[in-house]
Amino acid sequence: MADLQALLAALDVFTRAPDKASLEKANAWLQDFQHSSEAWTTCNLILQSPEAPPAAKLFAAQTFRTKVTYDLAQVDPAQLFGLRDTIIAALEHFQDGPRAIILQLSLALSGLALQLPAWTNAVEGLIERYGQNPSMVPVLLQFLTVLPEELYSNTKIPVTDQEYSERSAQLLSSCSKQVLEVLSMYLQAPGVTHAIQGQVFACLRSWLTAGEMAAMDVADSPIFDFCFQALGSEQLFDAAVNVVCDLIHETQEIDDNMPVIERIVPRVVALKPVLETAEDDPEKMRGYARIFSEAGETYRILILQHTETFFPIVEAIGLCSAYHDLDIVPITFTFWMRLAQSIGKRASVPPLFHDAYKALMTVMIGHLHFPLESAALSGQELDNFRSFRHVMGDTLKDCCYVLGTEQCLLETLQLVQEALAKGPAAPWQTIEAPLFAMRSMGAEVNAKDEHAVPLILQLIPTLPTHTRVRYAALLIISRYTEWINAHPDYIGAALQYISAGFEDTDQDVIGAAGQALKYLCQDCKQHLVPFLPNLHTFTTNVGAKLAQEDRVVVYEAIAYVISAMPMDQAAQSLKAFASDILAAVFTIASKPTPATKRELQEVGNGLANLEVMLHVVGSFGEQLPPACQGTCQEAWTVFDAFLAKYGSDYESAEHVTRVLRHGLNLFGNVVLSIAPAILGRMSTSFEATGLSCYLWIAGKVHSRFGNEENLLLRASVKDVYERSTQKLLSLLQEKSAASLPDVLEDYIRLLLNMVEFAPDIFFESSAFPAAFHISLAALTLIQSDTIFASLDLFRMILTHDCLGPSGATPPPPKFPVYANAIHQAIDKEGFEFVSLLLAGLVGDFPEETASAIVTLFRVLAGLWANQLQKWLSVILQRLPPTSVPEDAKARFMQDLDSAISAKQYDKVKYAVLGIHRASRKARDRRRVVAMD
């Protein structure tokens, strides 16, 4: 009874509003309780106790389900039938509810039935026992409903594939006709309630979707007619819609199910007139839209083959697509897409389908209209509507696929022209909606089109200047830039319209102008080279007036044009733009008084513009053009002076180092002459600020020139290594590792370069022990990239050739020094290292780290066997049994000892993977939350 009282006390915590720690403590206790063998008896007592609170009874039922899934081995095989009878007795006790308890007990009984093959008549026996007992019918239906679902979805039940196959056949396949008979009986029973009929439908769905009940069998039963009749019932409508949709879906193997389809289709077609009467009831329309769309998707091949019989389904779906409620309309979209794909494979489009898609296009454009009243939509509603317009745009593409893009564009263009013909009285929505449609259809435009697109682009300059209209027109240009590239005569007019967009006061319009310019420059870059001087002037005159997010898009656009120029000309142009930006940086760096926050922000914006240009232009190759000769040193002089003064400003440091990263790619080997200076600045800047970007660039420079035998460079590398290590030691004394994830990741990547390119500096330096210690801290983080990098570093250290067996040829003279450094580090940090590896393996490390951990344990077992066994005897005791069960710990240690004793270190893999699997299973179980 002590367990019972403790359980009730833990559950009581959730009825109050305690602090987070109390909740976590109570939840952990409940989960531990669920693991225990005493839980079986305690939960049974709670279910039988009249005084137990409802929450306790629900928890007890949940625990039965959990333990049947995970802990059935705790029960003596001779007592399994007793357990079955206990669960059945509980179901009888709770026959009047609550439903949540009946559900959990039914799930438990289903899981037990799967694992108890000696229970040969589980389904038949329960039907015989309760089928004629009205008070137990709801319980029986609940069990029959969850049985297929539990067998198909609960993959945690420990049975083999063969056991599952044999048992599921006994429980489901061999019983499906009997279940169908029972369901039919209940539907026709005198005085049957809507609640029971709803349960019958739910049960039927469960068996249908599991594939355990054939559509033909259902069609031959009284249930078939009742499913369609129930659509006329307010209480059963939703349940009937679900069953009808599932029944249609289960006939998707057309050839095998034609007799059933021949009975379904007339029933579905007969529902079409009901759409008129249901127009004022959105929920009814939603249900009918689901039925018609399911029928259309499933029978689309028959629709094309037997159009006269099946086309009313298409017409009904068209009515649903035209419905005013935009939550219902998208139910039909998948049908239109799949039908369009099927039609597209034919040589010609039948007239009926041509007209259907033409009507659909008109309907979609109608739905695209913004409300005439500007305040008709709230903020969130407006966002949702804008998102939904893009979904409708995909359906317009389906129309293009069937009707042809040219026809769709011309008819949409006509809608714009008709609206313009009405003059200023025309609402902007009547112009904007067709423009949006043309933008969506632009994805289907043929670059060789000579009819529709020219008319559209000629129309754009004549459109009203309303912000929404201009916004839509600019985005049409951005979508049609590939066509413009094939017709360069239109570039001038497009540029003029885009330039006017930048002068608008609406930020959305300016942003659209930026997008249009970017795609125009990207797709038409060869043709835009002559316009580059104009673009340079534009950035000088207009660029300063733009928001930074728009300005950076303009610079990106210009960079695309530069990338299309001959190399010497491109270098000159890039230098011209870069010089303007660097001049602003130099001005701030040379200023005798400290720069203001605004000035630093402007410098950062300029560097962001330069960064995007360098990213697009990329590299000029091995041989730099003449215009770039000397530029590398000049640029570094500016950046060095700026960092010396403002390197402690986070945003400024980030901007400069990102530009340096692209400059490294642009200038290539020319950077070698200033690499020591760059490393020196990165070293002193990191030491002064602790900002990770400096380590990042130091690592990139070392990675690029690591193979160079340059004494000055190697001295700079050693300086960065030792000073950054000392700085990180200091930071970790002040802050937690969790607060320094970026710094630790960039430091680890710097060390990876050290092991690869400068092992003598790495291992021989007095910083190595500290570097090893710092790298352990990275294993405590949750960032996956940092964990992977850290494990790679330790793998490279512990598998270094200096630790390998001596061969016929003597090892390099420094190898003993390296090996001694590694041995000293492991001797000092080994316990913590192994603790972190094991904690991560059974804890939060990503799944993909298991192979690296196997490698590390294999090396440790081979070189530090005695220490490893000693460390693990303590470490394993510290791991909570909820993370790794005690038997899994013992098995791990036994397998490891066996591998070490036999000197078969490859078998360490099985020990590590075994405890890993056991921990994952325990974790999966703990995800079954004790309290919902």
Side-chain angles (χ1 to χ4, degrees):
M1 292 301 292
D3 271 351
L4 178 56
Q5 294 306 316
L7 173 59
L8 294 176
L11 290 170
D12 184 60
V13 172
F14 292 88
T15 65
R16 295 178 272 110
D19 56 89
K20 184 180 178 182
S22 298
L23 282 174
E24 291 177 350
K25 181 180 179 181
N27 201 50
W29 190 95
L30 291 172
Q31 289 185 336
D32 291 343
F33 167 78
Q34 284 187 323
H35 285 71
S36 69
S37 57
E38 293 77 16
W40 297 102
T41 304
T42 304
C43 288
N44 190 34
L45 288 173
I46 290 175
L47 289 174
Q48 294 175 356
S49 170
E51 293 81 19
K57 293 182 179 181
L58 176 57
F59 175 77
Q62 291 171 335
T63 301
F64 265 113
R65 192 268 179 113
T66 300
K67 294 192 75 63
V68 164
T69 299
Y70 295 102
D71 296 331
L72 200 59
Q74 292 177 347
V75 181
D76 187 324
Q79 300 299 320
L80 289 175
F81 278 102
L83 174 61
R84 176 201 65 180
D85 295 340
T86 296
I87 297 174
I88 291 175
L91 281 168
E92 292 177 352
H93 179 73
F94 289 100
Q95 61 183 257
D96 295 326
R99 184 180 177 279
I101 292 179
I102 296 175
L103 173 61
Q104 292 299 321
L105 292 173
S106 296
L107 289 167
L109 194 59
S110 299
L112 180 61
L114 178 60
Q115 299 175 79
L116 187 56
W119 189 13
T120 56
N121 65 336
V123 174
E124 303 95 317
L126 288 172
I127 290 175
E128 182 178 351
R129 183 170 178 175
Y130 298 122
Q132 301 297 326
N133 183 348
S135 62
M136 284 297 290
V137 166
V139 174
L140 176 62
L141 287 173
Q142 182 70 79
F143 169 74
L144 293 176
T145 300
V146 302
L147 180 64
E149 298 168 358
E150 184 72 350
L151 265 59
Y152 276 90
S153 64
N154 190 351
T155 58
K156 306 302 180 186
I157 297 177
V159 292
T160 65
D161 289 345
Q162 183 176 349
E163 289 170 341
Y164 175 82
S165 178
E166 293 174 355
R167 191 62 179 144
S168 62
Q170 294 171 357
L171 291 169
L172 301 177
S173 304
S174 64
C175 299
S176 61
K177 291 191 176 181
Q178 184 180 2
V179 171
L180 183 59
E181 290 172 2
V182 170
L183 297 181
S184 300
M185 176 186 72
Y186 288 150
L187 277 181
Q188 302 173 86
V192 62
T193 64
H194 289 308
I196 293 297
Q197 290 173 328
Q199 276 195 279
V200 168
F201 280 147
C203 186
L204 178 62
R205 288 193 70 204
S206 179
W207 286 71
L208 268 175
T209 55
E212 295 294 345
M213 200 168 280
M216 178 62 76
D217 290 338
V218 176
D220 289 338
S221 75
I223 287 183
F224 179 80
D225 289 334
F226 190 81
C227 289
F228 288 93
Q229 293 167 9
L231 292 170
S233 166
E234 291 290 337
Q235 294 88 348
L236 296 176
F237 179 79
D238 291 338
V241 167
N242 290 334
V243 172
V244 170
C245 288
D246 288 337
L247 187 60
I248 293 171
H249 186 77
E250 291 305 312
T251 61
Q252 57 188 305
E253 298 295 334
I254 302 295
D255 294 338
D256 297 336
N257 289 288
M258 275 309 297
V260 186
I261 294 171
E262 289 171 355
R263 295 187 58 189
I264 290 175
V265 170
R267 291 281 196 169
V268 172
V269 170
L271 296 173
K272 182 186 169 189
V274 183
L275 292 176
E276 294 183 12
T277 60
E279 193 166 316
D280 295 332
D281 189 338
E283 292 310 310
K284 287 283 181 66
M285 285 297 296
R286 184 190 307 276
Y288 290 127
R290 287 181 55 204
I291 291 173
F292 284 118
S293 298
E294 185 67 52
E297 292 174 40
T298 304
Y299 305 142
R300 62 187 182 279
I301 301 303
L302 294 174
I303 289 173
L304 292 172
Q305 293 173 349
H306 307 283
T307 304
E308 184 177 346
T309 301
F310 286 84
F311 196 74
I313 295 175
V314 180
E315 293 174 325
I317 296 173
L319 292 174
C320 295
S321 297
Y323 192 59
H324 61 82
D325 189 331
L326 297 187
D327 285 337
I328 293 169
V329 172
I331 294 171
T332 66
F333 287 172
T334 302
F335 162 74
W336 294 116
M337 177 192 70
R338 291 180 177 172
L339 182 63
Q341 292 170 343
S342 299
I343 292 174
K345 298 174 184 176
R346 294 175 162 243
S348 61
V349 180
L352 284 174
F353 296 102
H354 183 280
D355 293 345
Y357 275 92
K358 186 176 179 181
L360 177 65
M361 182 181 71
T362 303
V363 164
M364 288 298 107
I365 295 174
H367 286 324
L368 287 172
H369 283 67
F370 278 99
L372 292 178
E373 298 294 330
S374 58
L377 296 176
S378 67
Q380 185 59 52
E381 289 172 336
L382 188 60
D383 290 342
N384 293 343
F385 178 65
R386 285 173 171 165
S387 299
F388 181 56
R389 295 177 100 212
H390 292 285
V391 179
M392 288 191 282
D394 291 336
T395 301
L396 286 170
K397 295 173 193 174
D398 298 329
C399 295
C400 292
Y401 195 59
V402 174
L403 303 174
T405 305
E406 183 178 309
Q407 178 184 341
C408 291
L409 287 173
L410 288 172
E411 293 194 11
T412 309
L413 175 64
Q414 186 177 351
L415 294 175
V416 179
Q417 293 168 334
E418 290 171 357
L420 291 174
K422 297 177 182 178
W428 65 264
Q429 292 90 336
T430 61
I431 302 171
E432 190 274 344
L435 291 177
F436 183 93
M438 287 191 280
R439 169 192 167 192
S440 298
M441 297 173 185
E444 306 298 321
V445 164
N446 189 326
K448 297 180 180 179
D449 177 271
E450 299 294 344
H451 299 96
V453 179
L455 293 175
I456 293 170
L457 292 179
Q458 290 163 18
L459 175 74
I460 284 177
T462 70
L463 292 171
T465 57
H466 189 283
T467 55
R468 301 312 303 171
V469 173
R470 178 172 278 184
Y471 175 82
L474 284 165
L475 291 180
I476 287 178
I477 293 175
S478 70
R479 182 59 67 90
Y480 287 36
T481 50
E482 291 183 8
W483 185 93
I484 294 174
N485 182 50
H487 303 78
D489 292 345
Y490 288 85
I491 288 177
L495 267 178
Q496 187 174 356
Y497 193 80
I498 291 170
S499 298
F502 281 112
E503 296 172 3
D504 201 291
T505 57
D506 185 88
Q507 288 301 314
D508 287 343
V509 173
I510 295 172
Q515 290 297 313
L517 182 62
K518 181 178 83 169
Y519 288 115
L520 189 70
C521 291
Q522 186 174 346
D523 292 331
C524 309
K525 52 191 176 187
Q526 298 284 357
H527 302 300
L528 281 167
V529 170
F531 292 89
L532 193 62
N534 306 66
L535 293 171
H536 192 186
T537 303
F538 175 82
T539 60
T540 305
N541 298 336
V542 181
K545 302 175 185 177
L546 301 178
Q548 173 57 18
E549 60 185 22
D550 298 317
R551 201 183 311 164
V552 75
V553 173
V554 172
Y555 276 91
E556 182 183 358
I558 293 169
Y560 284 117
V561 179
I562 293 175
S563 70
M565 302 171 79
M567 189 178 295
D568 289 344
Q569 192 179 350
Q572 287 282 5
S573 299
L574 180 62
K575 184 176 181 180
F577 283 93
S579 295
D580 293 344
I581 296 170
L582 290 175
V585 178
F586 179 75
T587 299
I588 296 299
S590 308
K591 189 179 175 185
T593 57
T596 65
K597 184 177 181 180
R598 174 67 179 169
E599 288 173 329
L600 288 178
Q601 185 178 14
E602 282 301 314
V603 167
N605 291 342
L607 291 173
N609 300 335
L610 179 57
E611 177 193 350
V612 75
M613 294 190 79
L614 294 175
H615 173 72
V616 172
V617 173
S619 170
F620 288 121
E622 293 295 324
Q623 188 64 40
L624 282 177
C628 290
Q629 302 293 338
T631 307
C632 180
Q633 177 65 58
E634 294 169 7
W636 170 245
T637 301
V638 173
F639 287 134
D640 189 39
F642 182 76
L643 288 177
K645 203 166 185 179
Y646 300 107
S648 60
D649 181 72
Y650 174 80
E651 293 293 339
S652 298
E654 284 286 325
H655 283 302
V656 171
T657 51
R658 286 201 295 266
V659 171
L660 290 177
R661 174 69 185 92
H662 290 292
L664 189 62
N665 184 44
L666 177 72
F667 291 110
N669 290 333
V670 173
V671 179
L672 180 59
S673 62
I674 61 169
I678 296 175
L679 289 172
R681 174 58 64 192
M682 297 304 108
S683 180
T684 55
S685 295
F686 178 70
E687 189 175 50
T689 67
L691 296 177
S692 65
C693 57
Y694 296 122
L695 292 179
W696 177 58
I697 288 301
K700 295 298 182 184
V701 172
H702 189 207
S703 177
R704 181 64 184 253
F705 302 113
N707 289 319
E708 298 290 337
E709 292 297 330
N710 182 309
L711 294 179
L712 188 57
L713 179 68
R714 286 175 57 78
S716 299
V717 168
K718 186 173 187 290
D719 181 66
V720 171
Y721 170 41
E722 293 180 346
R723 293 172 75 167
S724 63
T725 300
Q726 192 57 44
K727 176 64 177 179
L728 252 175
L729 275 179
S730 174
L731 286 174
L732 287 171
Q733 289 174 354
E734 302 168 3
K735 303 178 180 180
S736 66
S739 66
L740 300 168
D742 294 340
V743 177
L744 283 168
E745 180 178 356
D746 289 320
Y747 178 75
I748 295 295
R749 296 196 184 282
L750 177 66
L751 297 188
L752 285 167
N753 290 330
M754 299 291 300
V755 181
E756 182 176 359
F757 299 116
D760 53 336
I761 297 175
F762 181 63
F763 289 117
E764 292 182 40
S765 170
S766 59
F768 175 70
F772 193 99
H773 177 75
I774 292 168
S775 301
L776 292 178
L779 292 177
T780 66
L781 302 180
I782 61 173
Q783 286 78 11
S784 297
D785 288 346
T786 308
I787 292 169
F788 282 118
S790 303
L791 291 174
D792 280 345
L793 174 65
F794 287 119
R795 179 184 53 79
M796 292 178 72
I797 293 173
L798 294 187
T799 60
H800 195 277
D801 290 343
C802 70
L803 295 175
S806 301
T809 57
K814 290 190 175 183
F815 269 24
V817 179
Y818 301 173
N820 184 55
I822 296 171
H823 274 282
Q824 287 183 9
I826 293 295
D827 289 344
K828 181 181 179 182
E829 308 279 5
F831 180 85
E832 182 66 15
F833 179 47
V834 174
S835 295
L836 290 169
L837 288 180
L838 204 54
L841 180 71
V842 304
D844 295 326
F845 278 6
E847 288 287 326
E848 297 82 358
T849 59
S851 60
I853 295 173
V854 166
T855 299
L856 292 171
F857 266 95
R858 187 168 57 234
V859 175
L860 289 167
L863 298 177
W864 288 274
N866 292 334
Q867 295 98 312
L868 178 62
Q869 290 170 310
K870 181 180 177 182
W871 295 331
L872 283 172
S873 64
V874 178
I875 293 169
L876 287 170
Q877 293 303 314
R878 294 182 177 179
L879 293 176
T882 49
S883 295
V884 186
E886 295 297 336
D887 60 336
K889 295 180 189 178
R891 191 162 52 250
F892 167 71
M893 203 66 215
Q894 181 181 348
D895 292 344
L896 189 74
D897 290 342
S898 175
I900 291 174
S901 298
K903 298 190 183 302
Q904 295 177 324
Y905 302 116
D906 284 344
K907 289 189 176 181
V908 169
K909 169 183 178 180
Y910 304 112
V912 174
L913 294 182
I915 197 171
H916 179 247
R917 281 192 299 270
S919 69
R920 288 300 178 262
K921 185 176 179 181
R923 172 185 291 188
D924 288 341
R925 172 168 185 168
R926 292 186 72 80
R927 285 175 178 156
V928 180
V929 183
M931 288 299 294
D932 292 330

